[in-house]
Amino acid sequence: MMLKKTTIIVFCLLSVMIVYSQERHEISVSVAGGLSTINYSPNVGQSKDKIGSTIGFGYNYKITNYWSIGSGVEMLISRSEYSMENFSDSYAAYDGEDDFIFHTTVKEYSESQNISYLNIPFVVMFQRPIAGKNSFFASAGFKFGVPVVQRVDVSALFNNYGYYPKWENPIKDNPYFMGFGDFGSENVKGNLEVKTLYLLSVESGMKWILGNKLNLYSGIYCDYGLNNIQKASDKRMIQYNNMEPSEYIHNSVINSSYSTDDNITQALVDVTRIISVGVKLRLALDL
């Protein structure tokens, strides 16, 4: 008889704990869109911010009725564009046999940049009922991201020539196979390298009760990059290729430098950040 009562009590306690525990767990899927850009101010040329998006899956644990902590995984897509014209650069190069000074004059140049990060968020959220069962919410935290897509497409018109000190004479329009003369690129894939991302994240809006355990969060958000994501800036936008001189290597402006009029090598971009601001919807299920 005692064993039976004990079993019933334990069963009841476990049932209460399970129900109580379930009320504290929430899983969700989210989509967001707005300005999501690779933000920088180039020393030469112009940049343009572009629209991007985010999709994610999340988990929240409710500490109290007002406070919760959350994490998950999300894919952030950021884009930007860059353009310049009437630009000249020169630097030391090697053609496989001799050292020379490579000169390039860019008539028109543009590149489209696309970076996708796989982010892991860590956030704290506060919510409080303000309209019946619906609630106001606000959250803040940090996100850590690794790049999974680093893409740049380049279109350019440019002219190149080489100056060989031992001959004391520039080689210009001939021979073409040495990479000298007029060249053009149209949507050619270039090189772009970025580092790990650290974001400060804030979000605010309303939580709407849709039904039994089903909720919709709608609001605005801002993710601000805390670090410079440039991996290096020691390349050239139009880089001489001594293996295939007529096939130039295109590097993103983010990773490139140039020679100033004082013959000083300077980065084309000093600091590059990810900034994402827009509207976010999150469909959540209480467990």
Side-chain angles (χ1 to χ4, degrees):
M1 188 68 175
M2 181 62 69
L3 179 60
K4 185 177 180 180
K5 289 183 178 179
T6 303
T7 303
I8 293 173
I9 293 172
V10 170
F11 179 79
C12 291
L13 287 174
L14 287 174
S15 298
V16 172
M17 290 175 64
I18 290 172
V19 171
Y20 183 72
S21 175
Q22 287 178 334
E23 292 176 348
R24 291 185 176 273
H25 300 278
E26 181 186 74
I27 58 174
S28 62
V29 58
S30 63
V31 292
L35 177 70
S36 185
T37 187
I38 309 160
N39 182 262
Y40 55 88
S41 297
N43 294 314
V44 178
Q46 302 84 34
S47 63
K48 183 179 181 180
D49 296 331
K50 301 291 288 184
I51 292 174
S53 59
T54 303
I55 183 170
F57 300 91
Y59 166 77
N60 268 33
Y61 177 76
K62 300 174 185 176
I63 302 173
T64 69
N65 290 334
Y66 298 118
W67 294 95
S68 63
I69 56 175
S71 187
V73 61
E74 63 181 31
M75 182 69 73
L76 169 65
I77 301 172
S78 298
R79 302 165 55 237
S80 67
E81 291 181 351
Y82 171 82
S83 63
M84 68 152 60
E85 56 185 28
N86 301 324
F87 169 77
S88 296
D89 189 22
S90 62
Y91 54 91
Y94 178 68
D95 66 6
E97 295 182 1
D98 298 296
D99 295 318
F100 70 102
I101 305 300
F102 176 77
H103 293 263
T104 183
T105 300
V106 177
K107 301 174 183 177
E108 297 178 4
Y109 181 94
S110 65
E111 63 179 66
S112 176
Q113 302 144 355
N114 189 320
I115 301 176
S116 295
Y117 274 95
L118 186 64
N119 293 337
I120 304 295
F122 299 94
V123 299
V124 176
M125 185 173 72
F126 171 82
Q127 58 180 304
R128 184 181 182 89
I130 61 170
K133 294 182 179 180
N134 302 315
S135 303
F136 164 82
F137 79 90
S139 66
F142 298 93
K143 296 179 181 180
F144 164 83
V146 293
V148 292
V149 174
Q150 305 168 75
R151 180 183 177 88
V152 61
D153 295 310
V154 176
S155 296
L157 295 174
F158 51 98
N159 176 274
N160 306 317
Y161 74 90
Y163 178 80
Y164 286 78
K166 74 174 187 178
W167 297 333
E168 297 184 352
N169 190 42
I171 299 178
K172 295 189 175 181
D173 297 330
N174 188 44
Y176 183 83
F177 71 87
M178 291 183 66
F180 305 137
D182 291 320
F183 291 85
S185 300
E186 184 69 29
N187 292 325
V188 175
K189 185 178 180 180
N191 299 319
L192 172 60
E193 296 180 341
V194 293
K195 298 186 295 187
T196 299
L197 173 66
Y198 300 95
L199 290 167
L200 173 65
S201 179
V202 293
E203 183 183 350
S204 182
M206 287 292 295
K207 174 185 177 181
W208 310 96
I209 306 299
L210 300 182
N212 186 26
K213 297 186 177 182
L214 189 63
N215 310 305
L216 176 66
Y217 293 81
S218 63
I220 56 175
Y221 76 97
C222 176
D223 291 340
Y224 181 80
L226 298 175
N227 65 314
N228 179 9
I229 62 170
Q230 287 175 239
K231 201 165 189 177
S233 57
D234 56 353
K235 299 178 175 62
R236 301 286 176 154
M237 285 197 313
I238 299 173
Q239 189 162 323
Y240 186 77
N241 181 3
N242 60 15
M243 301 299 294
E244 295 286 344
S246 60
E247 298 294 331
Y248 282 90
I249 300 170
H250 290 290
N251 297 301
S252 173
V253 61
I254 293 173
N255 300 124
S256 299
S257 58
Y258 72 106
S259 296
T260 66
D261 294 337
D262 298 327
N263 203 29
I264 298 174
T265 301
Q266 180 175 332
L268 279 164
V269 174
D270 294 321
V271 177
T272 304
R273 299 182 189 277
I274 296 295
I275 298 177
S276 183
V277 181
V279 177
K280 186 174 182 179
L281 297 176
R282 182 162 65 93
L283 187 64
L285 179 66
D286 291 328
L287 298 179

